[in-house]
Amino acid sequence: MISFLRGTVAHVGLSSAVIDLNGAGMSVNATPQTLSSLRVGDEGKLFTSLIVREDSLTLFGFASDDEREVFDVLLSVSGVGPRLALAVLAVHEPEAIRVAAHSGDGKAFTKVPGIGPKVAGRIVLELAGKLVPHGTAGASVPSVSAESVWKPQVIAAMTSLGWSEKDAAASIDKSLADSPDLAANGNVAEILRATLRWLGQDGARAGNRVGARG
């Protein structure tokens, strides 16, 4: 594994840089913030993560070991590849990512281009316990809210069926008012079915009220 590169900066582009290692140029993909710290002709050092695919070997570079660690953990989320993980680091500092993952703040991840509520919910769900903010050892830190994990996914499913986010959120709350166990369990499919059943029953009740008035 290539842990870091140190050498003369030979080129800096929009999304990558080339580090000259004694005559061998190593191309490294990085965030705009990391690339802005490099100057052609100066010595540069980048912590790196090597992504191995069947048809390619791609290096990703980071200004700190903490950035690389967060990048590697993001890759453990299903559906999150290196490009998307790098996009997250382009929008948020590593500590902000740790805080968002630990507190279940899915909205923070939706600020990243390419990440919607469904993917954001999956990120906080799968990163729970994997990323802990620095300085919290032995301290009391709010745990991830179960609702903040499953609710964005249910809302995303309902908006794909035609409901607005506002109506979807209100319907979920009303449908689960008498089912606290279902909400605590956080099963997305079960909560979605319960909400859709409630909407069907509410529509039927509304029809009966109209019929009674007529």
Side-chain angles (χ1 to χ4, degrees):
M1 177 181 177
I2 303 174
S3 296
F4 69 88
L5 298 177
R6 179 188 285 121
T8 303
V9 179
H11 171 76
V12 178
L14 295 176
S15 59
S16 64
V18 175
I19 307 297
D20 185 343
L21 302 178
N22 297 320
M26 301 290 286
S27 179
V28 187
N29 295 278
T31 66
Q33 298 95 311
T34 297
L35 293 171
S36 67
S37 68
L38 301 175
R39 298 288 182 271
V40 173
D42 290 350
E43 183 180 82
K45 177 182 178 180
L46 294 175
F47 295 88
T48 58
S49 180
L50 178 64
I51 304 300
V52 180
R53 296 286 186 263
E54 290 185 0
D55 58 348
S56 66
L57 297 174
T58 308
L59 269 178
F60 290 83
F62 311 93
S64 68
D65 193 38
D66 190 33
E67 281 190 4
R68 179 177 61 184
E69 180 184 352
V70 171
F71 174 83
D72 289 339
V73 175
L74 282 168
L75 293 180
S76 69
V77 178
S78 56
V80 175
R83 299 292 179 183
L84 193 55
L86 198 66
V88 174
L89 281 164
V91 174
H92 296 296
E93 294 291 330
E95 186 66 7
I97 297 170
R98 290 177 180 278
V99 171
H102 191 70
S103 63
D105 182 10
K107 289 185 178 180
F109 292 103
T110 61
K111 295 178 182 179
V112 179
I115 295 182
K118 186 176 182 179
V119 175
R122 188 189 309 138
I123 289 175
V124 296
L125 176 65
E126 296 188 23
L127 291 188
K130 293 183 179 180
L131 285 178
V132 179
H134 292 307
T136 60
S140 177
V141 179
S143 59
V144 174
S145 165
E147 181 176 308
S148 69
V149 173
W150 59 256
K151 195 168 187 177
Q153 298 182 60
V154 179
I155 290 176
M158 293 186 67
T159 55
S160 70
L161 295 174
W163 279 276
S164 68
E165 287 191 17
K166 181 179 179 181
D167 289 342
S171 299
I172 293 168
D173 292 339
K174 292 176 181 177
S175 68
L176 297 183
D178 298 323
S179 306
D181 291 341
L182 188 60
N185 182 46
N187 186 295
V188 172
E190 291 181 3
I191 293 172
L192 177 60
R193 284 195 292 269
T195 303
L196 295 177
R197 282 198 301 270
W198 181 87
L199 284 167
Q201 293 167 359
D202 188 58
R205 288 193 294 269
N208 290 336
R209 289 195 295 270
V210 171
R213 287 198 297 270

